[in-house]
């Protein structure tokens, strides 16, 4: 459910016509609906009912300060993967004490900053990383609270680029090694075991891999508790998929039922790390048509947004819906919608049936709130888009469009 709706033939975000935003701010521009963000957060949280749980929004999905501030205001914590993300969380007023830190390559500086900030949990991904964390803890005279991220060797049945829970993946500690590693950690003075963690992949559209992975991980949690490890948190990761085209991912209720059934009787406080499910369908990318071009083979439509603004189609062959901001009538033709970037993969929408777009017309790439702006780059020396937050009838720019001078900030010719 989202708050992007047609009113009198014009696509709106909540009460605001998207054409008004495009005309005022220009394109390409990301637009987010705060009602949708709020709704998604609440629906996921309410699905877990009275079971103690903390939603740690996965910052990588969209790290824009206004979004972090909104989730923080709803009581959310954060899942981070770098010192930069920690700094963003704090800049947005987020609570380090509700923040968990994952990633296979945390540097000692990042660990120190996170420990000094008082984060809730380090999700440790290897034995060597645990030793490094122990050293940092001892140096700072603190015991760093940690969970091992275990790799349950379950196929998430998603795109291979965003699957993380197989034995061949770089993520997590091999499941079979976890018990020995917790035992070793007991003797370390700079760390203290506080939880157990897993995450098997992103854009999961089936409940069964989640159930299989969490059943294994919950079993390990009970075993570790029986061995008197003082665990309190079971972090079930993120990954709940959304509908881009015709996927039918589990509803938040089904997701919660799956998680709760697999983890019942652990007595653990659950940590959830949703990213895409909270922000994906709460954002769109506005773009303007520049040119049409017909070749013997194809009808191309060139727009002013490119793969540097939204890389998902180029990187994962991902599908994003495409809607004109002003509804059009007529016969649909099959078009390839491409950006200005000098790469053959800069195709944002392939073989789409559209009433042939006219130069100057405005369109929206749908479901672009997750891994859109956070993966945007300056490739081809293109300034990154502006971002706008809508709230009811009101809207505001939450990030200015990058200026040309920003392109060489810090450089010396
Ligand atoms: N927790 C961990 C440890 C993760 O690695 C991720 C995502 C999440 C939570 C959040 O997953 P989500 O709920 O958003 O599925 N750029 C790709 C997705 C990469 C996901 C990386 N990890 C894309 O655009 O599809």
């Amino acid at each position: 459910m989202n708050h992007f709706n047609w009113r009198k033939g014009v696509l709106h975000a909540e009460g605001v016509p998207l054409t008004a935003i495009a005309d005022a701010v220009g394109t390409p521009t990301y637009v987010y609906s705060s009602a949708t963000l709020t709704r998604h957060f609440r629906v996921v949280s309410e699905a877990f009912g009275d079971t103690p749980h903390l939603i740690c929004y996965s910052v990588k999905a969209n790290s824009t300060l206004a979004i972090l501030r909104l989730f923080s205001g709803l009581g959310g914590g954060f899942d981070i993967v770098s010192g930069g993300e920690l700094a963003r969380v704090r800049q947005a007023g987020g609570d380090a004490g509700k923040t968990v830190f994952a990633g296979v390559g945390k540097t000692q500086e990042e660990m120190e900053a996170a420990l000094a900030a008082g984060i809730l949990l380090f999700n440790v991904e290897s034995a060597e990383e645990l030793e490094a964390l122990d050293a940092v803890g001892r140096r700072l005279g603190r015991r760093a609270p940690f969970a091992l991220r275990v790799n349950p060797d379950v196929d998430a049945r998603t795109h291979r680029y965003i699957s993380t829970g197989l034995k061949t993946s770089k993520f997590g500690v091999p499941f079979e090694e976890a018990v020995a590693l917790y035992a070793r950690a007991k003797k370390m003075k700079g760390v203290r075991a506080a939880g157990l963690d897993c995450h098997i992949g992103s854009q999961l559209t089936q409940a069964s891999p989640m159930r299989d992975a969490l059943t294994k991980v919950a079993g390990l949690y009970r075993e570790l508790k029986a061995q008197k490890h003082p665990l309190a948190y079971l972090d079930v990761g993120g990954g709940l998929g959304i509908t881009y085209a015709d996927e039918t991912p589990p509803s938040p209720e089904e997701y919660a039922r799956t998680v709760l059934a697999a983890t019942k009787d652990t007595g653990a406080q659950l940590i959830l790390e949703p990213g895409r499910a909270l922000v994906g369908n709460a954002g769109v990318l506005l773009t303007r048509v520049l040119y049409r071009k017909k070749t013997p083979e194809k009808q191309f439509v060139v727009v002013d947004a490119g793969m540097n603004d939204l890389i998902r189609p180029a990187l994962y062959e991902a599908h994003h819906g495409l809607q004109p901001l002003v509804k059009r009538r007529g016969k649909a033709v099959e078009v390839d919608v491409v950006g200005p970037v000098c790469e053959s993969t800069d195709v944002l929408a392939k073989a789409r049936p559209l009433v042939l777009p006219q130069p100057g017309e405005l369109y929206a790439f749908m479901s672009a709130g997750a891994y859109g702006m956070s993966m945007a780059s300056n490739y081809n020396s293109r300034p990154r888009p502006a971002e706008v937050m809508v709230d009811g009838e009101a809207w505001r720019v939450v990030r200015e469009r990058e200026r040309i001078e920003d392109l060489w900030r810090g450089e010396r010719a």
Side-chain angles (χ1 to χ4, degrees):
M1 204 341 251
N2 62 61
H3 295 262
F4 294 94
N5 299 305
W6 294 95
R7 292 193 192 171
K8 297 198 173 121
V10 178
L11 191 60
H12 281 59
E14 305 184 27
V16 179
L18 288 170
T19 44
I21 295 174
D23 288 339
V25 183
T27 50
T29 292
Y30 279 100
V31 180
Y32 308 111
S33 153
S34 58
T36 309
L37 294 164
T38 302
R39 184 189 147 84
H40 289 173
F41 186 95
R42 294 218 167 113
V43 166
V44 172
S45 186
E46 280 161 17
F48 283 85
D50 297 337
T51 307
H53 66 275
L54 176 63
I55 296 186
C56 289
Y57 164 64
S58 193
V59 173
K60 64 178 86 64
N62 189 319
S63 55
T64 297
L65 296 181
I67 288 181
L68 303 182
R69 168 75 55 97
L70 188 150
F71 288 140
S72 168
L74 295 172
F78 299 95
D79 155 45
I80 59 166
V81 289
S82 70
E85 285 190 348
L86 175 62
R88 279 190 166 277
V89 165
R90 301 180 84 194
Q91 183 68 20
D95 185 350
K98 290 183 181 173
T99 298
V100 300
F101 189 177
V104 297
K106 304 174 192 80
T107 66
Q108 304 229 356
E109 292 76 18
E110 288 176 317
M111 290 176 179
E112 265 175 32
L115 187 54
I119 67 157
L120 180 62
L121 211 53
F122 287 88
N123 286 337
V124 169
E125 307 224 15
S126 66
E128 290 194 4
E129 183 195 330
L130 185 64
E131 284 159 17
L133 184 62
D134 176 43
V136 168
R138 280 185 280 121
R139 200 157 58 235
L140 266 61
R142 314 261 284 261
R143 280 180 181 264
F146 79 92
L148 285 190
R149 174 175 178 179
V150 289
N151 184 334
D153 192 28
V154 167
D155 184 353
R157 286 185 242 141
T158 181
H159 191 285
R160 66 186 197 290
Y161 284 9
I162 51 177
S163 182
T164 53
L166 281 175
K167 268 192 177 134
T168 47
S169 154
K170 72 171 177 177
F171 296 101
V173 173
F175 195 81
E176 303 69 31
E177 292 172 23
V179 167
L181 205 46
Y182 275 99
R184 253 179 76 196
K186 248 188 184 161
K187 301 189 193 92
M188 298 178 177
K189 298 270 184 296
V191 293
R192 92 184 141 76
L196 181 64
D197 170 45
C198 86
H199 170 82
I200 58 168
S202 194
Q203 182 57 9
L204 308 183
T205 54
Q206 298 172 35
S208 56
M210 305 176 187
R211 188 184 53 230
D212 296 349
L214 291 179
T215 302
K216 266 182 102 166
V217 172
L220 177 59
Y221 187 92
R222 293 188 197 96
E223 185 181 340
L224 292 164
K225 286 292 276 187
Q227 294 168 1
K228 304 282 181 250
H229 292 288
L231 307 188
Y233 301 103
L234 183 50
D235 184 337
V236 303
L240 178 59
I242 65 169
T243 302
Y244 286 99
D246 49 12
E247 306 91 330
T248 50
S251 65
E253 293 73 25
E254 188 188 351
Y255 172 68
R257 271 199 304 277
T258 307
V259 173
L260 291 173
T263 60
K264 66 173 185 298
D265 308 333
T266 55
Q269 158 144 12
L270 295 177
I271 294 177
L272 318 166
E273 301 177 351
R276 191 187 321 260
L278 299 189
V279 296
N281 281 321
V284 300
L285 173 62
L286 305 184
T287 188
R288 202 178 277 277
V289 175
L290 296 172
Y291 310 109
R292 284 92 51 93
K293 167 157 140 177
K294 196 163 167 49
T295 69
E297 294 294 318
K298 281 197 181 235
Q299 174 69 61
F300 290 103
V301 175
V302 184
V303 297
D304 66 0
M307 64 185 281
N308 70 297
D309 305 307
L310 179 63
I311 201 176
R312 302 193 68 259
L315 195 52
Y316 316 112
E317 298 177 316
H319 175 100
H320 285 268
L322 181 61
Q323 298 285 356
L325 297 196
V326 180
K327 245 192 187 139
R328 304 197 47 212
R329 283 181 210 289
K331 197 165 120 307
V333 292
E334 195 177 273
V335 302
D336 274 14
V337 180
V338 303
V341 172
C342 296
E343 293 271 351
S344 296
T345 53
D346 187 24
V347 180
L348 294 164
K350 214 178 179 68
R352 291 295 169 84
L354 284 182
V355 179
L356 188 63
Q358 309 290 319
E361 271 178 352
L362 292 162
Y363 281 76
F365 289 102
M366 309 305 288
S367 313
Y371 307 105
M373 187 62 176
S374 64
M375 294 181 81
S377 78
N378 293 123
Y379 187 42
N380 279 203
S381 285
R382 289 169 47 82
R384 288 180 304 161
E387 292 179 288
V388 164
M389 182 72 75
V390 171
D391 184 0
E393 310 282 314
W395 61 273
R396 66 193 174 100
V397 173
V398 293
R399 187 199 305 241
E400 291 170 15
R401 184 177 311 288
E402 263 178 343
R403 294 161 308 165
I404 289 292
E405 310 84 87
D406 295 330
L407 291 175
W408 51 81
R409 193 161 57 85
E411 281 189 52
R412 288 162 189 80

